[in-house]
Amino acid sequence: MKTKVLKFGGSSLADSGQFKKVSDIVKADPSRRFVVASAPGKRFDDDIKVTDLLYSCYEKARSGMDFDPVLSEIAGRFREIINELDIDFDIDPEIEAIKHNLNDYPSRSYAASRGEYLNSKILAAYLGYEFIDPYYCIHFNSDGTLDTKSTREDLSETLAPLTNAVIAGFYGSGPDGNIITFTRGGSDITGSLVAQAVGAELYENWTDVSGLLAGDPRIIDDPRVVEYISYRELRTLSYMGATVLHADALLPVNQAGIPVNIKNTNRPEDPGTMIVSDLPKERELHTITGVAGRKGLSVIQVEKMMVSDGAGFTAIILDVFKHYGVPFEQCLTGIDTVTVIIRSDYFKAMKYELLNAIEDQVHPDTLIVKENLAMIAVVGEADADYQGSTVCILGAISAAGIDLNTINQGAGSLNLIIGVEEKDYEKAVRAVYNSIL
Ligand code: ASP
């Protein structure tokens, strides 16, 4: 039997109108068998997500304040969906249970998880599908990391006999029987785990945009939607700030080679973005996949004459960063130079410790620090002429009168990371985008 796993985000399940769209989408294709649901999101700009209301309930409960009004607001949101869709579902005992549990033993994760728990139960009732509580099949270790092995086994075993089911997103349980959630937006991870566990042919991630944009719309007018992107390319763009899927959601589907289709619940006819292991060969329309970047970076450049003739110079420098627990973003090496790029907030907090330790350890000829930098990543694995594109991109930056600080180009395909001053960031992104897309 063909199997697709669908995950619907909060905005796709924010009210009864959205529930109807979700039902139409699910029922339109019999292979859409397993549905992962988020908690109700915002219905309009100033609205509050149910998860945020639940966090607020927890904060009040923890400090002994009355959380009843907030819980009633949450109950009201679910009641409205239930009534408008005429679903046979009694919300009152559920709300009473939450109230008791929060009074007796306020737990942040428990509180947050109730949005997904209730919304998925209601959606299951609406679709006529079985409800699966991930408490019993998504397991965390005592350090809060996911127990991938037992999760895969238990999810597979639970879902194998079922034709259809709705699985609550965002949470599971720890070894002590306590509820544990992923970080915000974590229902994406649940969807990915379910897709892996059932060996899905496709993971459809339904949201309120028609896919990943090839550039930041706050900087570029009307950027195009990316049709295909590889897991690796998406990892680079996400790392640089492009948001379309929770970063940890990529791993399970990537391991299983399951493509992910980002789709728009409000425009189901749009093809969206396909995230795949390898880009299709026939793709020729856009050889460059996308551009993303971020500000707030600092560069430390260490130079010492003749040091490249020996061994271990770079390792000694990187050990300094390790010693102070400062992660680095990039490390570029040249003849007798090592350039380390780190986040400015880390640098500011440890500036003198890092610089003194580098002085002590390697006695450099020069130690140059540049702050207020930005990085721009350009990816395009399918670009046959990636060298030509690199020349074109660098030419466009230069033609825009922007100074290049660093250039990092991986071997074999377009995976270019350019460092510019923060003040030039937007201009540089526009120059890059316009030169290649
Ligand atoms: N409801 C949670 C959040 O708002 C998880 C999710 O939607 O994926 O972050």
Side-chain angles (χ1 to χ4, degrees), residues 250-269:
L250 273 182
L251 204 57
V253 276
N254 187 359
Q255 278 169 350
I258 299 166
V260 184
N261 193 187
I262 307 290
K263 296 275 287 176
N264 188 346
T265 302
N266 305 316
R267 294 179 58 89
E269 64 286 0

PDB file of all heavy atoms in Angstrom, residues 250-269:
ATOM      1  N   LEU A 250      15.089  17.164   9.292  1.00  0.00           N
ATOM      2  CA  LEU A 250      15.685  16.654   8.057  1.00  0.00           C
ATOM      3  C   LEU A 250      16.308  15.270   8.229  1.00  0.00           C
ATOM      4  O   LEU A 250      16.295  14.465   7.301  1.00  0.00           O
ATOM      5  CB  LEU A 250      16.777  17.613   7.570  1.00  0.00           C
ATOM      6  CG  LEU A 250      16.334  18.760   6.687  1.00  0.00           C
ATOM      7  CD1 LEU A 250      17.530  19.576   6.253  1.00  0.00           C
ATOM      8  CD2 LEU A 250      15.605  18.230   5.445  1.00  0.00           C
ATOM      9  N   LEU A 251      16.863  15.019   9.428  1.00  0.00           N
ATOM     10  CA  LEU A 251      17.668  13.818   9.606  1.00  0.00           C
ATOM     11  C   LEU A 251      16.909  12.504   9.347  1.00  0.00           C
ATOM     12  O   LEU A 251      17.353  11.694   8.521  1.00  0.00           O
ATOM     13  CB  LEU A 251      18.298  13.833  11.001  1.00  0.00           C
ATOM     14  CG  LEU A 251      19.556  13.007  11.156  1.00  0.00           C
ATOM     15  CD1 LEU A 251      20.630  13.437  10.162  1.00  0.00           C
ATOM     16  CD2 LEU A 251      20.071  13.140  12.584  1.00  0.00           C
ATOM     17  N   PRO A 252      15.757  12.262  10.015  1.00  0.00           N
ATOM     18  CA  PRO A 252      15.095  10.967   9.787  1.00  0.00           C
ATOM     19  C   PRO A 252      14.717  10.725   8.321  1.00  0.00           C
ATOM     20  O   PRO A 252      14.973   9.638   7.790  1.00  0.00           O
ATOM     21  CB  PRO A 252      13.827  11.056  10.655  1.00  0.00           C
ATOM     22  CG  PRO A 252      14.134  12.092  11.694  1.00  0.00           C
ATOM     23  CD  PRO A 252      15.048  13.075  11.031  1.00  0.00           C
ATOM     24  N   VAL A 253      14.181  11.733   7.638  1.00  0.00           N
ATOM     25  CA  VAL A 253      13.792  11.508   6.233  1.00  0.00           C
ATOM     26  C   VAL A 253      15.029  11.388   5.343  1.00  0.00           C
ATOM     27  O   VAL A 253      15.039  10.610   4.390  1.00  0.00           O
ATOM     28  CB  VAL A 253      12.859  12.620   5.688  1.00  0.00           C
ATOM     29  CG1 VAL A 253      11.428  12.345   6.051  1.00  0.00           C
ATOM     30  CG2 VAL A 253      13.274  14.001   6.098  1.00  0.00           C
ATOM     31  N   ASN A 254      16.046  12.127   5.675  1.00  0.00           N
ATOM     32  CA  ASN A 254      17.292  12.048   4.913  1.00  0.00           C
ATOM     33  C   ASN A 254      17.876  10.638   5.022  1.00  0.00           C
ATOM     34  O   ASN A 254      18.245  10.017   4.015  1.00  0.00           O
ATOM     35  CB  ASN A 254      18.271  13.097   5.473  1.00  0.00           C
ATOM     36  CG  ASN A 254      19.535  13.230   4.647  1.00  0.00           C
ATOM     37  OD1 ASN A 254      19.703  12.521   3.658  1.00  0.00           O
ATOM     38  ND2 ASN A 254      20.411  14.111   5.047  1.00  0.00           N
ATOM     39  N   GLN A 255      17.913  10.115   6.262  1.00  0.00           N
ATOM     40  CA  GLN A 255      18.443   8.758   6.468  1.00  0.00           C
ATOM     41  C   GLN A 255      17.660   7.741   5.652  1.00  0.00           C
ATOM     42  O   GLN A 255      18.216   6.807   5.093  1.00  0.00           O
ATOM     43  CB  GLN A 255      18.325   8.368   7.950  1.00  0.00           C
ATOM     44  CG  GLN A 255      19.439   8.911   8.799  1.00  0.00           C
ATOM     45  CD  GLN A 255      19.133   8.734  10.294  1.00  0.00           C
ATOM     46  OE1 GLN A 255      18.014   8.383  10.693  1.00  0.00           O
ATOM     47  NE2 GLN A 255      20.135   8.985  11.119  1.00  0.00           N
ATOM     48  N   ALA A 256      16.348   7.932   5.587  1.00  0.00           N
ATOM     49  CA  ALA A 256      15.496   6.966   4.892  1.00  0.00           C
ATOM     50  C   ALA A 256      15.339   7.306   3.405  1.00  0.00           C
ATOM     51  O   ALA A 256      14.695   6.557   2.669  1.00  0.00           O
ATOM     52  CB  ALA A 256      14.130   6.911   5.567  1.00  0.00           C
ATOM     53  N   GLY A 257      15.891   8.429   2.977  1.00  0.00           N
ATOM     54  CA  GLY A 257      15.775   8.832   1.563  1.00  0.00           C
ATOM     55  C   GLY A 257      14.339   9.172   1.165  1.00  0.00           C
ATOM     56  O   GLY A 257      13.951   8.991   0.010  1.00  0.00           O
ATOM     57  N   ILE A 258      13.554   9.657   2.104  1.00  0.00           N
ATOM     58  CA  ILE A 258      12.145   9.988   1.801  1.00  0.00           C
ATOM     59  C   ILE A 258      12.064  11.457   1.383  1.00  0.00           C
ATOM     60  O   ILE A 258      12.483  12.336   2.142  1.00  0.00           O
ATOM     61  CB  ILE A 258      11.248   9.747   3.032  1.00  0.00           C
ATOM     62  CG1 ILE A 258      11.298   8.272   3.438  1.00  0.00           C
ATOM     63  CG2 ILE A 258       9.803  10.198   2.763  1.00  0.00           C
ATOM     64  CD1 ILE A 258      10.728   7.987   4.815  1.00  0.00           C
ATOM     65  N   PRO A 259      11.541  11.758   0.198  1.00  0.00           N
ATOM     66  CA  PRO A 259      11.415  13.164  -0.185  1.00  0.00           C
ATOM     67  C   PRO A 259      10.366  13.891   0.661  1.00  0.00           C
ATOM     68  O   PRO A 259       9.411  13.274   1.145  1.00  0.00           O
ATOM     69  CB  PRO A 259      10.976  13.111  -1.658  1.00  0.00           C
ATOM     70  CG  PRO A 259      10.540  11.719  -1.903  1.00  0.00           C
ATOM     71  CD  PRO A 259      11.060  10.832  -0.831  1.00  0.00           C
ATOM     72  N   VAL A 260      10.577  15.177   0.818  1.00  0.00           N
ATOM     73  CA  VAL A 260       9.637  15.999   1.581  1.00  0.00           C
ATOM     74  C   VAL A 260       9.047  17.032   0.628  1.00  0.00           C
ATOM     75  O   VAL A 260       9.773  17.647  -0.146  1.00  0.00           O
ATOM     76  CB  VAL A 260      10.363  16.765   2.728  1.00  0.00           C
ATOM     77  CG1 VAL A 260       9.359  17.553   3.575  1.00  0.00           C
ATOM     78  CG2 VAL A 260      11.176  15.820   3.596  1.00  0.00           C
ATOM     79  N   ASN A 261       7.725  17.174   0.667  1.00  0.00           N
ATOM     80  CA  ASN A 261       7.076  18.178  -0.170  1.00  0.00           C
ATOM     81  C   ASN A 261       6.475  19.240   0.743  1.00  0.00           C
ATOM     82  O   ASN A 261       5.593  18.956   1.544  1.00  0.00           O
ATOM     83  CB  ASN A 261       5.986  17.500  -1.011  1.00  0.00           C
ATOM     84  CG  ASN A 261       5.458  18.358  -2.145  1.00  0.00           C
ATOM     85  OD1 ASN A 261       4.501  17.984  -2.804  1.00  0.00           O
ATOM     86  ND2 ASN A 261       6.063  19.495  -2.407  1.00  0.00           N
ATOM     87  N   ILE A 262       6.992  20.480   0.633  1.00  0.00           N
ATOM     88  CA  ILE A 262       6.433  21.585   1.411  1.00  0.00           C
ATOM     89  C   ILE A 262       5.221  22.104   0.642  1.00  0.00           C
ATOM     90  O   ILE A 262       5.350  22.499  -0.529  1.00  0.00           O
ATOM     91  CB  ILE A 262       7.468  22.737   1.570  1.00  0.00           C
ATOM     92  CG1 ILE A 262       8.792  22.220   2.137  1.00  0.00           C
ATOM     93  CG2 ILE A 262       6.887  23.881   2.412  1.00  0.00           C
ATOM     94  CD1 ILE A 262       8.764  21.779   3.559  1.00  0.00           C
ATOM     95  N   LYS A 263       4.040  22.069   1.254  1.00  0.00           N
ATOM     96  CA  LYS A 263       2.808  22.416   0.548  1.00  0.00           C
ATOM     97  C   LYS A 263       2.018  23.475   1.324  1.00  0.00           C
ATOM     98  O   LYS A 263       2.161  23.613   2.537  1.00  0.00           O
ATOM     99  CB  LYS A 263       1.926  21.169   0.405  1.00  0.00           C
ATOM    100  CG  LYS A 263       2.530  20.061  -0.455  1.00  0.00           C
ATOM    101  CD  LYS A 263       2.268  20.256  -1.936  1.00  0.00           C
ATOM    102  CE  LYS A 263       0.838  19.970  -2.313  1.00  0.00           C
ATOM    103  NZ  LYS A 263       0.574  20.246  -3.746  1.00  0.00           N
ATOM    104  N   ASN A 264       1.158  24.170   0.597  1.00  0.00           N
ATOM    105  CA  ASN A 264       0.352  25.235   1.188  1.00  0.00           C
ATOM    106  C   ASN A 264      -1.104  24.771   1.350  1.00  0.00           C
ATOM    107  O   ASN A 264      -1.790  24.516   0.352  1.00  0.00           O
ATOM    108  CB  ASN A 264       0.421  26.466   0.264  1.00  0.00           C
ATOM    109  CG  ASN A 264      -0.216  27.697   0.876  1.00  0.00           C
ATOM    110  OD1 ASN A 264      -0.937  27.604   1.873  1.00  0.00           O
ATOM    111  ND2 ASN A 264       0.039  28.847   0.271  1.00  0.00           N
ATOM    112  N   THR A 265      -1.560  24.692   2.607  1.00  0.00           N
ATOM    113  CA  THR A 265      -2.935  24.245   2.883  1.00  0.00           C
ATOM    114  C   THR A 265      -3.958  25.165   2.219  1.00  0.00           C
ATOM    115  O   THR A 265      -5.044  24.726   1.838  1.00  0.00           O
ATOM    116  CB  THR A 265      -3.162  24.226   4.415  1.00  0.00           C
ATOM    117  OG1 THR A 265      -2.181  23.363   4.986  1.00  0.00           O
ATOM    118  CG2 THR A 265      -4.540  23.733   4.804  1.00  0.00           C
ATOM    119  N   ASN A 266      -3.609  26.444   2.068  1.00  0.00           N
ATOM    120  CA  ASN A 266      -4.552  27.398   1.480  1.00  0.00           C
ATOM    121  C   ASN A 266      -4.493  27.421  -0.045  1.00  0.00           C
ATOM    122  O   ASN A 266      -5.341  28.044  -0.678  1.00  0.00           O
ATOM    123  CB  ASN A 266      -4.283  28.796   2.038  1.00  0.00           C
ATOM    124  CG  ASN A 266      -4.339  28.776   3.556  1.00  0.00           C
ATOM    125  OD1 ASN A 266      -5.240  28.176   4.135  1.00  0.00           O
ATOM    126  ND2 ASN A 266      -3.351  29.378   4.199  1.00  0.00           N
ATOM    127  N   ARG A 267      -3.486  26.774  -0.621  1.00  0.00           N
ATOM    128  CA  ARG A 267      -3.358  26.679  -2.085  1.00  0.00           C
ATOM    129  C   ARG A 267      -2.837  25.283  -2.445  1.00  0.00           C
ATOM    130  O   ARG A 267      -1.702  25.123  -2.908  1.00  0.00           O
ATOM    131  CB  ARG A 267      -2.387  27.749  -2.608  1.00  0.00           C
ATOM    132  CG  ARG A 267      -2.887  29.193  -2.431  1.00  0.00           C
ATOM    133  CD  ARG A 267      -1.847  30.175  -2.960  1.00  0.00           C
ATOM    134  NE  ARG A 267      -1.531  29.938  -4.356  1.00  0.00           N
ATOM    135  CZ  ARG A 267      -2.177  30.495  -5.378  1.00  0.00           C
ATOM    136  NH1 ARG A 267      -3.163  31.335  -5.148  1.00  0.00           N
ATOM    137  NH2 ARG A 267      -1.836  30.223  -6.621  1.00  0.00           N
ATOM    138  N   PRO A 268      -3.682  24.270  -2.179  1.00  0.00           N
ATOM    139  CA  PRO A 268      -3.173  22.893  -2.352  1.00  0.00           C
ATOM    140  C   PRO A 268      -2.763  22.574  -3.788  1.00  0.00           C
ATOM    141  O   PRO A 268      -2.007  21.629  -4.028  1.00  0.00           O
ATOM    142  CB  PRO A 268      -4.339  22.014  -1.902  1.00  0.00           C
ATOM    143  CG  PRO A 268      -5.521  22.897  -1.790  1.00  0.00           C
ATOM    144  CD  PRO A 268      -5.062  24.309  -1.685  1.00  0.00           C
ATOM    145  N   GLU A 269      -3.252  23.377  -4.733  1.00  0.00           N
ATOM    146  CA  GLU A 269      -2.909  23.106  -6.136  1.00  0.00           C
ATOM    147  C   GLU A 269      -1.463  23.527  -6.454  1.00  0.00           C
ATOM    148  O   GLU A 269      -0.880  23.067  -7.442  1.00  0.00           O
ATOM    149  CB  GLU A 269      -3.910  23.810  -7.078  1.00  0.00           C
ATOM    150  CG  GLU A 269      -3.932  25.347  -7.038  1.00  0.00           C
ATOM    151  CD  GLU A 269      -4.610  25.964  -5.789  1.00  0.00           C
ATOM    152  OE1 GLU A 269      -5.087  25.210  -4.923  1.00  0.00           O
ATOM    153  OE2 GLU A 269      -4.634  27.202  -5.689  1.00  0.00           O
TER     154      GLU A 269
END
